[in-house]
Amino acid sequence: MYQIALITGDGIGPEISESVIKVLETINDKLDLKIKIEKLEAGDNALAKTGKALPESTLESIKKSNVCLKAPVGESAADVIVVLRRILNLYANIRPAKSYPNMPALKDNIDLVIVRENTEDLYTGMEFDVGNTAVAIRTISESASKRIAKYAFLIATQRNQKKKVTCVHKSNVMRRTDGLFASSCSEIAKDFQNIQFEQMYVDACAMNLIRQPEAFDVIVTTNLFGDILSDEAAQVVGGLGMAPAANIGDDFALFEPVHGAAFDIAGKQAANPSSFILSAKMMFEWLGMKYQDQKCFTVAKKIESAVFGVVKNGIKTKDIGGNMATSEFTQHVIANII
Ligand code: ATP
């Protein structure tokens, strides 16, 4: 039995959470994998109700669960996800981008994953004013850089694709911070002689993701660059509606869509739930690894096949060129889980 903490979020969060709950219930019924879901509140709605974007009760429930699924939250995102990443020490943010049949991808042979350092950089909130100048502090440590680099190399080893890690930075300008990140990655690369290692400036990487995205395998980068490049990579393979993400630590993991709360389409049944459903697929892969449970890997494969089988047959939500409502699309996915 796996206990899953599910933050339902804001904007389109509750709608896509309903889709994920239906998928998990189907797995419970059809695939003999026992799952218990606990719905939790965090974000703008929780802030309005309880005065806290991340209520204590939500945090306690997450800590008692095996894993967390998180729908997007709105304005209070930094008070929820950034805090959760820090408290739970979820240092690796994994964002895959892959082209699938009948999806509006730039090329049909893209299969890459962005490994983003999740705990440092400009995202630690150290900002202040000096007179009328605003200052932000960028922290990059050798230990966190080596930890994320190691994770990236392990992924490249497991993926068994092009066996390549691209370290992305801007060390020609940010000589100390990105210099340390680059040298730490190079150091780790020495332990993985069977994996090709290259370095690329972030501006060149942004260009190459459009020009030749199929050449990438694993990209490892710092927090802010990773945030930006993964949105770009998501669009390169068809859009944010299909982009899942994982936040992984040594003992716990949290899975969430790359996109935000998308208030412009909230409540209209216009959201593509695939990004969140595919986040659940990544969650089962992680559970499979953590608990050495082969059944979880089978479930992950079935979820992926169901989503892309539906899309391949032209059943699509509006963002990827179709006209299906969120709930209708979900029904098709569920019917394809066999
Ligand atoms: P944030 O700033 O937190 O990333 P946002 O709401 O400004 O959030 P996103 O939600 O990430 O931006 O995405 C931008 C736009 O892409 C949305 O306004 C919406 O129109 C579209 N979009 C994002 N996710 C989805 C989805 N799952 N299905 C359909 N359209 C989406």
Side-chain angles (χ1 to χ4, degrees), residues 12 240-241 259-262 264-265 270-272 275 319:
I12 59 171
L240 281 170
H259 61 74
D264 54 331
I265 53 166
N272 184 348
S275 45
D319 58 310

Side-chain angles (χ1 to χ4, degrees), residues 9 41 45 81 93 95 101 127 134 136 144 147 150 164 172 174 200 235 239 249 261 276 286 291 296 312 322:
E41 284 186 338
N45 287 332
I81 188 60
N93 195 322
R95 299 186 164 188
E127 293 190 306
R147 182 174 63 175
K150 195 167 171 198
K164 182 164 85 172
N172 52 338
M174 290 179 282
M200 198 176 280
Q235 192 56 50
F276 204 18
W286 181 82
Y291 296 100
C296 291
K312 193 176 171 190

Side-chain angles (χ1 to χ4, degrees), residues 34-331:
K34 292 297 159 233
I35 300 156
K36 194 161 170 253
I37 309 158
E38 187 180 6
K39 280 202 230 179
L40 302 170
E41 284 186 338
D44 298 357
N45 287 332
L47 181 63
K49 239 165 128 179
T50 68
K52 281 193 163 174
L54 183 60
E56 208 52 48
S57 56
T58 296
L59 190 56
E60 284 314 306
S61 294
I62 292 172
K63 285 181 178 168
K64 283 188 204 137
S65 65
N66 295 104
V67 70
C68 181
L69 278 172
K70 184 198 136 290
V73 301
E75 288 301 311
S76 52
D79 298 324
V80 179
I81 188 60
V82 179
V83 173
L84 282 173
R85 283 172 186 158
R86 198 180 56 234
I87 291 177
L88 302 169
N89 199 18
L90 307 175
Y91 60 85
N93 195 322
I94 314 298
R95 299 186 164 188
K98 192 170 168 183
S99 35
Y100 285 96
N102 207 9
M103 277 291 298
L106 282 189
K107 303 242 176 104
D108 60 10
N109 54 350
I110 303 164
D111 189 349
L112 63 89
V113 49
I114 296 181
V115 177
R116 160 186 166 196
E117 205 291 320
N118 231 1
T119 64
E120 302 196 315
D121 198 359
L122 285 164
Y123 280 25
T124 52
M126 286 190 279
E127 293 190 306
F128 52 91
D129 295 325
V130 180
N132 55 5
T133 301
V135 180
I137 293 182
R138 182 173 199 238
T139 53
I140 302 285
S141 71
E142 184 182 348
S143 57
S145 302
K146 284 189 169 169
R147 182 174 63 175
I148 198 69
K150 195 167 171 198
Y151 201 88
F153 277 96
L154 288 173
I155 288 188
T157 309
Q158 281 163 9
R159 271 164 59 82
N160 214 4
Q161 295 267 332
K162 295 170 207 90
K163 287 190 176 278
K164 182 164 85 172
V165 170
T166 308
C167 170
V168 173
H169 54 79
K170 190 74 181 168
S171 69
N172 52 338
V173 177
M174 290 179 282
R175 294 197 180 116
R176 292 196 79 82
T177 49
D178 268 0
L180 179 59
F181 183 73
S183 64
S184 303
C185 291
S186 305
E187 198 62 35
I188 295 297
K190 291 179 191 155
D191 299 335
F192 293 87
Q193 292 296 332
N194 57 334
I195 305 287
Q196 188 194 334
F197 178 64
E198 66 177 11
Q199 300 192 38
M200 198 176 280
Y201 293 136
V202 64
D203 42 349
C205 181
M207 181 186 70
N208 285 328
L209 274 172
I210 309 281
R211 198 173 63 91
Q212 210 185 0
E214 71 281 13
F216 289 106
D217 181 6
V218 176
I219 293 173
V220 64
T221 190
T222 49
N223 208 340
L224 174 62
F225 293 161
D227 194 5
I228 297 167
L229 292 175
S230 53
D231 266 33
E232 183 187 356
Q235 192 56 50
V236 163
V237 294
L240 281 170
M242 306 296 293
N247 296 271
I248 296 185
D250 288 331
D251 306 312
F252 196 76
L254 178 153
F255 298 82
E256 60 176 345
V258 168
H259 61 74
F263 288 105
D264 54 331
I265 53 166
K268 295 180 180 161
Q269 282 286 309
N272 184 348
S274 302
S275 45
F276 204 18
I277 296 173
L278 293 170
S279 302
K281 172 238 163 194
M282 290 182 82
M283 172 189 79
F284 282 111
E285 285 170 341
W286 181 82
L287 286 171
M289 267 189 287
K290 180 163 168 71
Y291 296 100
Q292 299 286 301
D293 185 347
Q294 206 50 43
K295 235 185 232 174
C296 291
F297 290 108
T298 310
V299 165
K301 279 209 182 79
K302 283 178 187 274
I303 294 174
E304 185 178 34
S305 312
V307 171
F308 290 104
V310 161
V311 171
K312 193 176 171 190
N313 288 332
I315 297 160
K316 295 178 176 183
T317 45
K318 202 171 161 197
D319 58 310
I320 50 170
N323 57 7
M324 280 280 152
T326 310
S327 55
E328 274 179 289
F329 180 85
T330 307
Q331 283 306 327

